[in-house]
Amino acid sequence: MADYEATGLKKDLFIVTMLVSKDFKLKYRRSALGILWSVLNPLLMMAVLTAVFSFMFRFEIENFPVYLILGNTIFALMADSTTTAMNSIIDSAPLIKKIRIHKILFPLEKVLFQLVNFLFSLIAVAAVLLFFRIVPTANVLFLPLLLVYVVTFSFGIGLLLSAAAVFFRDVIHLWSVVVTAWTYATPLFYPTSILQDWMMAIMQWNPMYYYVTYFREIVLWGQTPGLAENAICAGFALAALGAGLLVFHKTQKKFILYV
């Protein structure tokens, strides 16, 4: 039994690795800069947003470009992971119909692929920190833990969306609107000090607020995340994962009838 499970795990690992490799080849095919876009994209986004918002918030936020790129990169990890995971089952319909495979591997692969992209974007983050002469403290060692939180949360949401999208294609269009609204509802380019009390009360229910703040604390502000903060981040991640696994498990047998 143990040998059978080990063989199955190796097979799943091989499939995920091959899918990630395929996505990399497809994404950067015929691109002159290739994987460098994973570094340039956050830099260009930071430059644009800095040009637009620096006049508003430059006096309130120290090292505004760094503040921006940290918020944008961690938020992009969630947004890109959930969006690509949402389409994973539908896009893999030909493969699902031909061979027997664990369907959960498809949204999982999309999230892991975006995680790899995020790791490359950290080169851009490091370049900006170097430019502004910001030396990270030992608190940066909390980054792997933060990534566990964000990836787990994104995977859970991705499972929910991928299952829902199979039966209701409108979810695909609706999610793009939700992500846009979520972007503005999260303090990526503005300080929380401008928010009224009732807005901050609502912000407490925004998981990305905690993940973005966590990233800035450990990299920009050199602060050690507290036990309560870690508990909240873990709580959102586990709640999303639990809901995603439950919905996905209950609906996956019907996927083949709708894809």
Side-chain angles (χ1 to χ4, degrees):
M1 184 67 177
D3 291 340
Y4 176 79
E5 290 179 353
T7 302
L9 184 61
K10 288 182 180 178
K11 178 184 175 182
D12 290 344
L13 201 58
F14 174 76
I15 292 172
V16 169
T17 303
M18 292 301 295
L19 289 173
V20 169
S21 176
K22 184 198 74 171
D23 276 356
F24 260 104
K25 292 175 183 177
L26 289 175
K27 182 173 182 178
Y28 300 111
R29 183 176 55 185
R30 298 176 184 173
S31 172
L33 295 177
I35 204 167
L36 278 177
W37 280 114
S38 294
V39 180
L40 290 175
N41 187 58
L43 286 174
L44 293 174
M45 184 63 69
M46 180 203 70
V48 171
L49 291 176
T50 298
V52 173
F53 294 107
S54 62
F55 292 104
M56 289 189 218
F57 304 122
R58 62 178 175 176
F59 298 113
E60 294 186 51
I61 302 177
E62 189 178 2
N63 298 313
F64 185 64
V66 182
Y67 181 91
L68 264 177
I69 198 171
L70 291 174
N72 283 333
T73 49
I74 201 69
F75 190 91
L77 172 58
M78 182 281 298
D80 294 341
S81 295
T82 54
T83 300
T84 52
M86 173 179 60
N87 294 288
S88 62
I89 299 298
I90 297 173
D91 292 344
S92 303
L95 192 59
I96 291 174
K97 291 178 179 179
K98 287 181 181 178
I99 62 174
R100 189 172 183 178
I101 187 172
H102 292 143
K103 300 175 184 65
I104 200 171
L105 296 180
F106 296 110
L108 174 62
E109 180 273 328
K110 296 299 182 184
V111 175
L112 293 178
F113 174 67
Q114 296 303 333
L115 173 61
V116 175
N117 273 330
F118 172 83
L119 295 178
F120 280 110
S121 73
L122 289 179
I123 298 174
V125 173
V128 175
L129 291 173
L130 183 64
F131 180 82
F132 285 91
R133 298 179 180 179
I134 297 174
V135 180
T137 66
N139 290 298
V140 77
L141 296 175
F142 281 95
L143 180 57
L145 182 58
L146 171 62
L147 292 181
V148 170
Y149 295 149
V150 178
V151 168
T152 302
F153 176 78
S154 301
F155 182 45
I157 299 298
L159 287 176
L160 280 170
L161 292 171
S162 63
V166 170
F167 305 103
F168 308 103
R169 296 296 198 272
D170 291 344
V171 170
I172 297 173
H173 306 289
L174 180 61
W175 185 245
S176 64
V177 177
V178 171
V179 169
T180 300
W182 204 346
T183 301
Y184 290 101
T186 305
L188 302 182
F189 48 82
Y190 58 84
T192 55
S193 59
I194 69 171
L195 300 178
Q196 298 180 16
D197 291 343
W198 67 270
M199 293 179 179
M200 276 306 300
I202 296 175
M203 188 70 74
Q204 307 305 312
W205 296 95
N206 179 357
M208 291 311 300
Y209 163 67
Y210 293 99
Y211 298 140
V212 167
T213 302
Y214 197 111
F215 197 24
R216 287 168 177 160
E217 283 181 350
I218 63 175
V219 177
L220 177 58
W221 300 324
Q223 298 176 2
T224 302
L227 184 59
E229 189 173 358
N230 278 284
I232 292 172
C233 290
F236 277 119
L238 292 175
L241 180 62
L245 287 172
L246 180 63
V247 172
F248 196 90
H249 178 71
K250 285 186 173 294
T251 57
Q252 63 177 334
K253 291 181 180 180
K254 298 180 181 178
F255 287 172
I256 197 168
L257 302 175
Y258 292 87
V259 295

